[in-house]
Amino acid sequence: MDFEWSSMKEAGLSDKQSDEFLRLLAEKDAGMDSVLMLRDGKLCFERYWPPYDKNVNHRMYSVGKSFTAIAIGLLIGDGVLTIEDAICDYFPDKLPENVHPYIRQMKIRHLLTMSTAHKKTTYKDYNGDWVESFFHVEPDYPPGTIFSYDTSATHVLCALVERLSGMDMLQFLRGRVLDEIGFTSREWLRDEAGIIRGGDGLFCTSRDLASVAQLCMDGGIYHGKQLIPADYLKEMIKVQISTAHKEAYDEQFGYGYQVWGNRGGGFTFFGLGGQLAVCFPDKRFMLVTTSHMAERARDIRFIYESFYQAVYPYL
């Protein structure tokens, strides 16, 4: 997406707010690689730290989950599947001989909302196929019981996109959405079976991330064309399940379809270590960050705290 520019003043802010934001980030040693701020779809602030600039890809980790949700939405819009379909129906070749009833009960909706039958990512403790692990690892509770972050759920959704579309998920998304909005990256990690790692393997530029998040802010419409089904997108960015039991404060505002709620009542594309697109549709504002805090995951709170102190009150 080729963003227009506006000044901080035109965005209803001032350089004092951005300067204070940067000061707080430095004071907290937040490990920043980029900070972008957009209002009304226009860039009003953009800052990079070497070796990153607007053209360099950054690993986005779980931000890719939100991209996977968009791909699922496209297939639902095409009428190829529904959110209430049982996931087992699409992977008969990955099922054990005796499928646990809780596994049988899992629907697309449970995978999208991280309310599966598993309390943790299944392939981490499984010697074999990542997709197969989701159906073979013993479940912990009936699906829909509780939010529990499960990257294997996203990986299975990505595998589903590839099965139904006949192409890898990046190709599918590029053909339907990403090329249309000028998304530049073609870099995404794969598992040993060659399946795109939809849950954690995305690489792209900060502007690429901003372009996809802005498309969601704009109701899936780009230059008058509906790229993401509107009804699905409304549900995707809306809180679907409580996350009040999470330890980190900014993870307590609920979860939609592979996106987090946030304290401003908006939605967030969230990646390990400070990869964020924090969106506030009612304020027409977005914060995008990248950082190298993957080994200090809890310190992502420094980004949130700095932003909510220095910028958010003035929006």
Side-chain angles (χ1 to χ4, degrees), residues 53-78:
D53 61 33
K54 67 180 182 179
N55 299 310
V56 177
N57 283 347
H58 195 292
R59 186 168 180 183
M60 296 297 180
Y61 294 97
S62 289
V63 164
K65 289 179 168 70
S66 304
F67 285 58
T68 304
I70 291 171
I72 290 292
L74 296 175
L75 293 175
I76 289 174
D78 291 345

Side-chain angles (χ1 to χ4, degrees), residues 94-265:
K94 301 293 185 180
L95 302 180
E97 184 175 344
N98 296 306
V99 183
H100 194 287
Y102 293 170
I103 300 296
R104 283 281 187 201
Q105 293 168 19
M106 285 194 291
K107 300 178 179 180
I108 304 295
R109 169 170 49 84
H110 296 129
L111 278 68
L112 285 170
T113 58
M114 294 292 189
S115 59
T116 72
H118 299 295
K119 66 179 180 182
K120 61 181 181 180
T121 300
T122 59
Y123 59 72
K124 291 184 177 179
D125 298 317
Y126 188 81
N127 184 22
D129 183 283
W130 284 17
V131 174
E132 181 183 88
S133 75
F134 189 71
F135 302 99
H136 282 248
V137 171
E138 191 76 7
D140 299 287
Y141 28 61
T145 303
I146 191 172
F147 172 90
S148 187
Y149 205 64
D150 177 9
T151 298
S152 52
T154 315
H155 194 67
V156 171
L157 289 174
C158 184
L160 177 60
V161 170
E162 299 193 352
R163 285 196 168 199
L164 295 180
S165 70
M167 62 187 78
D168 75 42
M169 191 174 73
L170 181 56
Q171 291 175 316
F172 177 66
L173 282 171
R174 291 198 70 91
R176 295 288 295 274
V177 174
L178 301 182
D179 285 349
E180 190 86 22
I181 64 174
F183 189 90
T184 64
S185 175
R186 298 179 181 273
E187 187 176 2
W188 207 320
L189 299 178
R190 302 168 186 270
D191 71 5
E192 291 185 359
I195 297 169
I196 289 281
R197 287 171 55 171
D200 70 348
L202 172 67
F203 285 77
C204 68
T205 70
S206 300
R207 287 192 177 193
D208 281 340
L209 172 54
S211 69
V212 176
Q214 187 64 52
L215 178 64
C216 292
M217 287 260 284
D218 293 338
I221 299 172
Y222 182 68
H223 289 178
K225 187 176 181 180
Q226 190 77 51
L227 299 182
I228 305 171
D231 290 344
Y232 174 85
L233 185 58
K234 287 178 184 177
E235 296 300 308
M236 174 181 157
I237 64 175
K238 183 174 73 175
V239 169
Q240 300 285 343
I241 189 168
S242 172
T243 58
H245 59 286
K246 296 291 289 181
E247 180 181 355
Y249 180 67
D250 282 289
E251 295 178 12
Q252 295 177 3
F253 294 91
Y255 198 76
Y257 296 163
Q258 305 283 295
V259 298
W260 294 82
N262 60 45
R263 3 177 155 174

Side-chain angles (χ1 to χ4, degrees), residues 33-34 58-63 209 268-277 288-294 300 303-304:
D33 295 326
S34 72
H58 195 292
R59 186 168 180 183
M60 296 297 180
Y61 294 97
S62 289
V63 164
L209 172 54
T268 298
F269 291 15
F270 178 102
L272 176 72
Q275 326 323 316
L276 301 169
V288 172
T289 69
T290 57
S291 175
H292 51 272
M293 293 194 294
I300 193 172
I303 299 175
Y304 285 120

Side-chain angles (χ1 to χ4, degrees), residues 20-37:
E20 177 64 3
F21 185 30
L22 295 180
R23 187 192 71 77
L24 290 171
L25 290 171
E27 181 182 88
K28 298 174 186 294
D29 187 24
M32 302 311 297
D33 295 326
S34 72
V35 173
L36 283 65
M37 289 187 275

